Amino acid sequence: MATTTKTPPGADPKQLERTGTVREIGSQAVWSLSSCKPGFGVDQLRDDNLETYWQSDGSQPHLVNIQFRRKTTVKMLCIYADYKSDESYTPSKISVRVGNNFHNLQEIRQLEMVEPSGWIHIPLLDLVNNPIRTFMIQIAVLANHQNGRDTHMRQIKVYTPVEESSIGKFPRCTTVDFMMYRSIR
């Protein structure tokens, strides 16, 4: 079982973006789901609103597929789960798989969550602790709390590392005002 870094309830992974070390790349991918109830699909999973969620509608495993157009470096997944709101809909066992397409996915992480509440950070690193490079990520919900059938996921974020400048190291810009000036145009 993989270990995860659980942040306190309300801790936002966007704080990592503000440090300038990672960037959210979920918008560059094509997202698909194994099933969903009408009005509870990909749009709700990606809308930055912790009150909305994807709700599956079918048998397990419930799948979230994230496909990139080109091989992409991915450092971390962040999943928001809230046991107090979702109870038996809350995932308890998740598998993260990567590969070039549906036919060659390999599991790189499997984790069990006990009544999660907040952002769960899942590092996606290879054997020598480098971020993985992949065309596709699949998140499979293998089990829910209290043996629930369908699942709720409130948000999923995908992060890539920000590469250092080829000219040299520049100080990290951490305020919004300076973020737009950190690259040479």
Side-chain angles (χ1 to χ4, degrees), residues 14-167:
K14 287 190 177 191
Q15 293 171 352
L16 294 172
E17 281 188 84
R18 290 185 200 107
T19 66
T21 57
V22 294
R23 181 171 50 92
E24 211 281 329
I25 56 170
S27 62
Q28 297 174 12
V30 175
W31 293 67
S32 62
L33 305 168
S34 57
S35 67
C36 69
K37 294 226 181 216
F40 296 91
V42 172
D43 291 341
Q44 288 70 34
L45 191 59
R46 296 284 304 153
D47 66 1
D48 285 328
N49 182 351
L50 300 179
E51 300 301 315
T52 62
Y53 50 85
W54 159 55
Q55 181 173 333
S56 64
D57 186 20
S59 59
Q60 289 178 346
H62 304 299
L63 306 175
V64 177
N65 302 303
I66 307 164
Q67 295 176 278
F68 296 98
R69 289 174 173 77
R70 61 178 68 105
K71 202 166 202 176
T72 303
T73 302
V74 180
K75 182 175 185 175
M76 177 176 46
L77 284 175
C78 292
I79 298 174
Y80 190 86
D82 187 0
Y83 179 78
K84 288 181 180 140
S85 297
D86 298 327
E87 296 180 347
S88 66
Y89 289 92
T90 309
S92 62
K93 190 174 187 181
I94 291 179
S95 168
V96 179
R97 307 160 182 169
V98 298
N100 293 329
N101 55 51
F102 286 99
H103 304 293
N104 71 350
L105 292 172
Q106 294 185 345
E107 183 176 85
I108 60 168
R109 294 276 182 275
Q110 188 176 101
L111 53 126
E112 293 194 20
M113 302 181 295
V114 179
E115 298 185 6
S117 177
W119 286 100
I120 299 158
H121 296 239
I122 307 167
L124 300 182
L125 305 172
D126 62 16
L127 296 175
V128 290
N129 283 337
N130 290 322
I132 61 161
R133 291 193 37 80
T134 188
F135 280 103
M136 182 174 180
I137 302 170
Q138 184 178 76
I139 302 166
V141 178
L142 305 176
N144 290 325
H145 284 80
Q146 303 171 11
N147 294 317
R149 181 178 155 231
D150 288 327
T151 196
H152 285 182
M153 276 201 194
R154 293 189 172 263
Q155 292 292 302
I156 299 176
K157 302 288 182 190
V158 184
Y159 288 97
T160 188
V162 173
E163 296 179 12
E164 296 292 334
S165 167
S166 60
I167 299 172

